[in-house]
Amino acid sequence: MIKGLDFRRLRRWELALAAFAVSAPFLLPAVAPGAPSFIRPAMAESIEKPDVSRVVSVGGAITEIIYALGEEGRLVGRDSTSTYPEAANKLPDVGYMRQLAPEGIIAVNPTAIVAVEGSGPPEALAILKEANIAFTSVPETFDKDSIPTKIRSVGTFLNVPDKAEALAKSVETDLAAAIADGAKRPEGERKRVLFVLSTQGGKIMASGTGTAANGIIELSGAINAAGQFPGYKALTDEAIIEAKPDVILMMDRGGEHSAKAAELFALPSLSLTPAAKTQALIRMDGLHLLGFGPRTASAIRDLNAAIYGKKANASQ
């Protein structure tokens, strides 16, 4: 016996350490881009890798990446934003990424969850933590570097880093080429694009900086007409007229987004804009346009062609 050692206290310490190990997937911060959020390098050798045989994917781009890696056989569920490829729609839908219901996720008996940053709510994630389901959050930004980072993060979590590296490099090459095409256009010829999220009640909800819409507009070689406010904001009629958009960009979906160009440009806020004069309205699939996943280079090319080519009026 070691002198002075209280074995009752030692037992409590062991239990506390065990409890910490169970909670680690949710408490330990990511230490490097692409590293699972629940493993520190110093601990990697002493902690078993999580079971990722049954995965729930949260975030359209995350699900696309898993399919692009050829690892879709692991998927047992996906969130409602994960609509591509078509095969993903056959998986159980566990709800919207920001309004997840824990019971819906637990019902598909996953061993792991890979979610894009910002998924939640926190209360739902806390319940999943108590269920001891391995979890990682993938960083989300809206620039050219974010996509390869997502791919590498997902690949590391799924234990297929080599496949992820090959896909990331291929995507990086394709992105660079698409962005270079847009960058060739002289600054004076670049059009001003206003992304309209909604027109509910006749109010225009537009995208500012730090948004996926702002990111894709700039990567395509155009200018975000909304200006420098952060996030999404309802603009006054005066602000929209002053923004002078040449083109209106919207997601191609039903409801309030189904208005014809003539109806949209009849709104007082848009009727006096350059876009109204040419009826320049572009609609694109929301996940393709804003997902910042493996298909983003294609989205950049499509948007560039729609803004500057004959496709600009194709959605009238």
Side-chain angles (χ1 to χ4, degrees), residues 26-71:
F26 302 88
L27 297 179
L28 295 180
V31 296
S37 59
F38 52 86
I39 297 179
R40 285 179 175 171
M43 301 172 64
E45 294 182 1
S46 61
I47 298 179
E48 290 186 7
K49 291 183 178 180
D51 180 357
V52 290
S53 60
R54 295 178 58 82
V55 176
V56 167
S57 176
V58 179
I62 304 302
T63 302
E64 284 194 37
I65 289 169
I66 293 174
Y67 273 89
L69 290 172
E71 297 296 324

Side-chain angles (χ1 to χ4, degrees), residues 208-226:
T209 60
T211 63
N214 180 77
I216 200 71
I217 288 170
E218 292 185 347
L219 291 178
S220 68
I223 299 168
N224 183 359

Side-chain angles (χ1 to χ4, degrees), residues 172-188:
E172 283 174 331
T173 300
D174 200 19
L175 277 169
I179 294 168
D181 286 342
K184 292 177 183 177
R185 192 171 302 278
E187 291 286 343

Side-chain angles (χ1 to χ4, degrees), residues 157-302:
F157 185 69
L158 298 182
N159 300 322
V160 289
D162 291 344
K163 293 171 72 172
E165 187 62 27
L167 177 60
K169 287 182 177 178
S170 174
V171 168
E172 283 174 331
T173 300
D174 200 19
L175 277 169
I179 294 168
D181 286 342
K184 292 177 183 177
R185 192 171 302 278
E187 291 286 343
E189 296 180 10
R190 298 191 178 191
K191 293 190 177 181
R192 299 174 61 80
V193 178
L194 182 68
F195 178 82
V196 175
L197 180 65
S198 72
T199 59
Q200 189 172 12
K203 290 290 185 181
I204 301 297
M205 181 71 70
S207 66
T209 60
T211 63
N214 180 77
I216 200 71
I217 288 170
E218 292 185 347
L219 291 178
S220 68
I223 299 168
N224 183 359
Q228 295 301 309
F229 65 84
Y232 290 90
K233 178 180 177 181
L235 299 184
T236 64
D237 292 359
E238 293 78 9
I240 294 172
I241 293 170
E242 185 177 343
K244 300 178 181 178
D246 300 299
V247 177
I248 302 301
L249 175 63
M250 302 181 77
M251 288 185 285
D252 186 10
R253 63 188 192 190
E256 63 199 40
H257 295 276
S258 62
K260 298 295 184 182
E263 298 171 345
L264 184 71
F265 291 121
L267 294 173
S269 56
L270 293 175
S271 62
L272 298 178
T273 64
K277 295 179 181 178
T278 58
Q279 300 283 287
L281 170 63
I282 299 170
R283 290 193 182 94
M284 290 178 61
D285 174 78
L287 181 56
H288 186 208
L289 178 68
L290 306 177
F292 276 75
R295 297 181 295 153
T296 295
S298 171
I300 291 171
R301 292 188 180 97
D302 289 349

Side-chain angles (χ1 to χ4, degrees), residues 85-145:
E86 181 61 32
N89 293 298
K90 297 179 182 179
L91 293 166
D93 185 342
V94 299
Y96 176 54
M97 58 179 287
R98 302 193 194 282
Q99 297 176 345
L100 297 173
E103 58 271 20
I105 294 177
I106 294 173
V108 299
N109 193 29
T111 60
I113 301 168
V114 53
V116 71
E117 184 179 37
S119 299
E123 296 80 6
L125 300 185
I127 293 173
L128 294 171
K129 165 188 168 182
E130 293 298 325
N132 294 332
I133 302 171
F135 178 96
T136 194
S137 179
V138 179
E140 174 84 302
T141 56
F142 305 113
D143 52 51
K144 65 181 179 63
D145 296 327

